[in-house]
Amino acid sequence: MSQNQPNPFHSSRLIYRALESTDEPFIHTLESEPQGFINSQLALKKPQSTRETKKHFEHYTEKCILGCAICLPGEGENDAPKPIGVICLEPLEPENAHHRHTDMGLGLLPDYQGKGYGSEAIEWALQWAFLDAGLHRVGIKAFQYNTGARKLYEKLGFKLEGTAREIWWHAGRWWDDVQFGMLEKEWRERREGRVE
Ligand SMILES: CC(C)(COP(=O)(O)OP(=O)(O)OC[C@H]1O[C@@H](n2cnc3c(N)ncnc32)[C@H](O)[C@@H]1OP(=O)(O)O)[C@@H](O)C(=O)NCCC(=O)NCCS
């Protein structure tokens, strides 16, 4: 690949690759990790079986328009990239595809959180969504109690669009669902440095 054509499935520190059937144990580890589960899943909070996490694997691989393992390069030159998380863009159903919007989801293993990898992967997936997939809007949602994710999404330029009040029951009380979105023109303005 020439220097003028960087690998489109790399960002500065990360590699994005398709999920393979051999990744099912990794997806189980990721999706059954308790804190990540609480922050990203609506299902009743309980230990997750491989049968339950297999549904996530099938969703990423068979339904999503983008469902990738977020990887670090292998340590040695010949080592395979090491998966540390997943990023996805939800399906565009054929009858709704003309609206050109999707929702993003992502999660990282705990040891790799708070190191900027989530931000880097989101920026990469936004670029893919707007420049490659030709989308118009990318939404992302966070539970009210996931304050870190909410702060991060606003920092990355997603606009707060609204809340669905007291829609989720968790830890003995009701919580809102918080919706953020980014339009292609907003993404381009940020990229061109016109908006901080
Ligand atoms: C949310 C998530 C994808 C963010 O990725 P990340 O790599 O941890 O975030 P970054 O390092 O790029 O950015 C750090 C910022 O994100 C926020 N953040 C969110 N979750 C965080 C976490 N678990 N650890 C540290 N920072 C977190 C912080 O506010 C931090 O902002 P600051 O640097 O101003 O303090 C990741 O933490 C994660 O997978 N969490 C568990 C699952 C989850 O919440 N998924 C999102 C569902 S909406």
Side-chain angles (χ1 to χ4, degrees), residues 36-169:
F37 179 84
I38 289 165
N39 278 330
S40 58
Q41 306 292 331
L42 292 175
L44 186 59
K45 187 171 44 176
K46 59 179 182 165
Q48 293 292 289
S49 66
T50 49
R51 186 179 57 79
E52 285 159 321
T53 57
K54 188 179 175 67
K55 290 181 202 154
H56 297 283
F57 176 81
E58 288 171 353
H59 182 72
Y60 296 139
T61 53
E62 290 169 27
K63 304 261 169 60
C64 287
I65 54 167
L66 180 75
C68 285
I70 302 170
C71 302
L72 288 173
E75 287 182 4
E77 205 177 314
N78 298 322
D79 292 340
K82 175 183 169 52
I84 61 167
V86 157
I87 190 157
C88 72
L89 293 174
E90 292 294 329
L92 297 182
E93 300 303 337
E95 64 274 24
N96 293 326
H98 60 292
H99 300 303
R100 294 196 284 132
H101 79 78
T102 184
D103 284 306
M104 186 185 292
L106 79 160
L108 295 169
L109 293 172
D111 285 354
Y112 300 94
Q113 295 174 13
K115 297 175 165 42
Y117 295 134
S119 303
E120 187 174 324
I122 291 171
E123 299 278 17
W124 175 79
L126 285 172
Q127 171 158 326
W128 186 88
F130 293 128
L131 295 190
D132 292 315
L135 299 181
H136 175 64
R137 176 183 174 280
V138 175
I140 195 162
K141 288 181 181 176
F143 304 141
Q144 182 187 1
Y145 55 79
N146 195 350
T147 49
R150 287 167 47 201
K151 194 172 122 197
L152 176 62
Y153 301 156
E154 286 200 273
K155 191 165 97 182
L156 293 176
F158 286 91
K159 298 269 191 282
L160 175 62
E161 296 179 331
T163 58
R165 294 171 307 142
E166 300 196 4
I167 191 170
W168 310 129
W169 180 256

